[in-house]
Amino acid sequence: LRAALRVIASGKQVTILSPTTILASQHERTARARFADLPISIAMLSRLTPKRDEKRILREIAEGKIDFVIGTHRLLSKDISFKTIGLVIIDEEQRFGVRQKERFKEMHTGVDMLSLSATPIPRTLHLSLARLRDISTIQTPPPNRKSIATFVLPYSTRIIREAIAREL
């Protein structure tokens, strides 16, 4: 989001391409919360965006009225046209195929791209080892992150009931 802010402050648009509607919604909530005090217009596009809102959003993206567009595969559609795109962020890049990522690069030639992944794919690692792509690694977990506990146990309705009750 800091990189996005720098690009938006320089007068260009930013987009986040996310593999799922849920993740795109999380990005939108986070961006709106972080940029709440700033004059940044944010929009989300996904298959769940109502058609009437979608037409308006597409028009405003093309006119440069929307600074930050967050969306799913919908952002790969041919009817998307940015006025001044400056940064493309691809979250969970391993969830997109090579063709999809290449299509996005073709759509936005010369634009800076930032790919995020918790599980980098071999192709990405190879590109970074060949020094064709820069790589940064975050070594420390976010504050208040809870550890994941995995258990392999025999089937038990009691254990299942307890696990669900604990989650609820």
Side-chain angles (χ1 to χ4, degrees):
L1 288 177
R2 287 180 181 165
L5 180 59
R6 296 285 302 246
V7 172
I8 292 167
S10 73
K12 300 211 182 237
Q13 294 166 294
V14 174
T15 186
I16 293 182
L17 178 61
S18 182
T20 66
T21 304
I22 291 172
L23 189 54
S25 296
Q26 290 173 341
H27 283 307
E28 181 192 26
R29 270 194 313 277
T30 301
R32 287 190 187 283
R34 290 275 296 273
F35 299 149
D37 297 333
L38 301 171
I40 294 175
S41 59
I42 300 170
M44 187 174 116
L45 274 178
S46 74
R47 62 184 169 79
L48 300 178
T49 305
K51 290 294 176 196
R52 66 181 186 285
D53 293 342
E54 187 176 288
K55 286 182 179 182
R56 177 189 52 79
I57 291 169
L58 290 174
R59 186 183 71 251
E60 290 180 357
I61 291 170
E63 293 170 355
K65 292 181 180 176
I66 296 179
D67 302 309
F68 199 176
V69 183
I70 300 163
T72 58
H73 291 78
R74 176 67 180 88
L75 293 174
L76 297 169
S77 302
K78 293 180 180 174
D79 60 349
I80 301 286
S81 174
F82 290 88
K83 183 175 181 182
T84 56
I85 186 78
L87 176 64
V88 173
I89 302 169
I90 302 176
D91 194 10
E92 293 297 328
E93 73 136 353
Q94 77 280 1
R95 302 274 303 272
F96 293 94
V98 172
R99 277 196 203 110
Q100 292 168 319
K101 288 184 277 193
E102 291 304 318
R103 164 130 175 72
F104 213 73
K105 287 177 189 174
E106 288 170 13
M107 291 171 63
H108 310 294
T109 314
V111 173
D112 289 321
M113 297 190 82
L114 177 63
S115 297
L116 309 174
S117 180
T119 52
I121 56 177
R123 180 176 182 268
T124 303
L125 289 173
H126 179 269
L127 289 171
S128 64
L129 290 172
R131 297 183 190 263
L132 298 172
R133 179 182 277 188
D134 292 334
I135 189 167
S136 296
T137 306
I138 299 172
Q139 299 289 339
T140 55
N144 303 320
R145 179 173 180 198
K146 295 179 182 175
S147 298
I148 296 172
T150 304
F151 301 92
V152 179
L153 303 168
Y155 180 84
S156 165
T157 51
R158 179 186 60 78
I159 292 173
I160 293 170
R161 194 176 312 112
E162 287 173 8
I164 291 172
R166 189 172 35 254
E167 287 298 315
L168 291 174

